[in-house]
Amino acid sequence: MGHWWERNILEPGKLPLLLALAAFVLTFLVTRVITRLIRAGRGPFGNVRAGGLHIHHVVPGVVLTVVGGFGAVASDRHGVGGAVAAVVFGMGAGLVLDEFALILHLDDVYWTAEGRKSVEAVVLTAALVGLLLAGFVPFGVNDLSEQELENRGSVIGTIAVNFLFALIALSKGKARTAVFGAIVPLVALVGAIRLARPGSPWARRFYGRRPRARARSALRAYRHDRRWSGPRRAVQDWIGGKPDPRPTRLPDHD
């Protein structure tokens, strides 16, 4: 274990990345526990207010992210300063992304269905950082041999091809596949080959005069959403808490 830690974490200078990831995940989990206790009216916690203004935790999160980010740039990856800056940055990023949906919608949607985007952003970020920590390099550069890495043309060509796959997957309405595909090129290749989702830029451009392709695309998207939307929603509710039920809109009367 000690040899693995030295070879894979300390020598490559990945300790700050590991500390940032741990601080990020732990901060998010602690924040969600506290906010759920506040929502339930339990414990000693409460919303922070100043002059009648509700201070969202994204505010201290931005401060910590800025301090940790600049501290990490100014520090040595192998020094104590870099480790401390990484922890501060991870804590700030956890607070910021916990309210990602609030920033996206410019509205307090924390406990609404739209607030699920915050959980998605946190899970996606943690997964991508975990892949980087495991040794994956964006756009498949880590798959090249030493001789290929010395050839600038091979590196540029590999990055360009894998970036193209990720871009095609994104245009087909598969944002998660495109993001993960930037780290694991095979994922982007699968997303680029498979049918586009209905309403995506690719579907509007290439399926306009192909009714069979449009029908297959709609059917596949319906089956995929019906199979995975329930489990994905259950996991999000378990991590972030169930959203508030939508208010029932009464019919208009003359």
Side-chain angles (χ1 to χ4, degrees):
M1 181 64 182
H3 177 70
W4 178 90
W5 177 264
E6 181 74 24
R7 180 178 180 181
N8 295 282
I9 300 297
L10 296 182
E11 286 184 2
K14 291 183 178 180
L15 182 59
L17 183 61
L18 176 61
L19 293 174
L21 176 59
F24 172 76
V25 174
L26 184 60
T27 300
F28 167 74
L29 294 177
V30 170
T31 302
R32 280 287 164 166
V33 170
I34 293 176
T35 54
R36 291 170 80 164
L37 289 174
I38 294 174
R39 185 190 190 193
R42 301 177 181 176
F45 306 103
N47 292 323
V48 178
R49 296 186 178 275
L53 179 65
H54 178 196
I55 306 299
H56 291 272
H57 49 266
V58 68
V59 176
V62 170
V63 175
L64 291 175
T65 302
V66 171
V67 172
F70 280 108
V73 172
S75 302
D76 182 8
R77 288 191 303 171
H78 297 273
V80 177
V84 173
V87 172
V88 173
F89 177 82
M91 293 172 61
L95 292 173
V96 170
L97 289 189
D98 184 56
E99 293 198 315
F100 170 79
L102 182 148
I103 302 172
L104 180 64
H105 293 278
L106 292 179
D107 193 11
D108 191 356
V109 295
Y110 195 84
W111 293 119
T112 67
E114 288 80 7
R116 296 176 187 273
K117 292 183 177 65
S118 296
V119 178
E120 293 181 1
V122 168
V123 172
L124 184 63
T125 301
L128 290 176
V129 175
L131 288 173
L132 292 174
L133 191 62
F136 288 88
V137 179
F139 304 119
V141 178
N142 56 301
D143 294 330
L144 298 177
S145 64
E146 291 294 333
Q147 183 177 359
E148 289 173 327
L149 285 173
E150 294 176 359
N151 186 341
R152 184 174 299 179
S154 298
V155 175
I156 294 176
T158 300
I159 293 175
V161 170
N162 290 328
F163 178 76
L164 178 62
F165 288 154
L167 196 62
I168 292 174
L170 183 63
S171 70
K172 289 188 172 185
K174 303 174 181 181
R176 298 183 189 88
T177 301
V179 172
F180 277 110
I183 307 297
V184 186
L186 183 61
V187 176
L189 175 61
V190 173
I193 293 175
R194 292 175 65 86
L195 281 170
R197 288 186 64 87
S200 64
W202 185 281
R204 292 195 300 269
R205 174 65 178 82
F206 296 104
Y207 296 168
R209 298 182 180 180
R210 299 170 58 191
R212 293 183 61 183
R214 289 201 309 271
R216 288 173 55 209
S217 172
L219 180 60
R220 177 169 293 179
Y222 168 75
R223 289 175 175 174
H224 177 274
D225 293 343
R226 187 179 63 176
R227 177 183 301 172
W228 295 109
S229 61
R232 183 169 63 245
R233 189 160 48 243
V235 171
Q236 291 174 346
D237 290 346
W238 177 73
I239 296 175
K242 290 185 178 181
D244 293 329
R246 293 182 180 273
T248 303
R249 185 177 184 274
L250 298 176
D252 297 330
H253 296 282
D254 295 334

